[in-house]
Amino acid sequence: MAAREVFEGLPGWVKWVAIPALVLLVFGGAILTAIGTLIGLLFKLLVLVALVGGLIYVIRRFKSSSSSGGSSKGW
């Protein structure tokens, strides 16, 4: 007996409301944990990219000011 045959005789509200509600009731915590973990990882990745970009900016700025030897920039 295939899954399609099991769902064929059911009313539409059972297929589209009751079953998804049961899935969310049973697996809701796991789904929220997975989504929270994914969002946390993406935020940490964004912070890492910003920090590396800032570090590269500061290093290039420092190198350009120190290599000019205090010529026209006045630093």
Side-chain angles (χ1 to χ4, degrees):
M1 184 175 243
R4 182 174 296 217
E5 295 171 4
V6 171
F7 288 114
E8 259 181 28
L10 297 176
W13 67 269
V14 172
K15 288 189 260 187
W16 299 106
V17 177
I19 293 175
L22 287 174
V23 169
L24 286 176
L25 182 69
V26 173
F27 295 108
I31 292 170
L32 287 177
T33 301
I35 291 173
T37 302
L38 181 64
I39 291 173
L41 287 173
L42 288 175
F43 178 74
K44 288 179 182 181
L45 181 65
L46 181 64
V47 169
L48 176 66
V49 167
L51 288 174
V52 169
L55 179 65
I56 291 172
Y57 174 78
V58 167
I59 296 298
R60 285 187 178 175
R61 183 87 179 217
F62 179 73
K63 282 180 67 176
S64 68
S65 68
S66 66
S67 66
S68 66
S71 58
S72 63
K73 289 188 180 178
W75 293 354

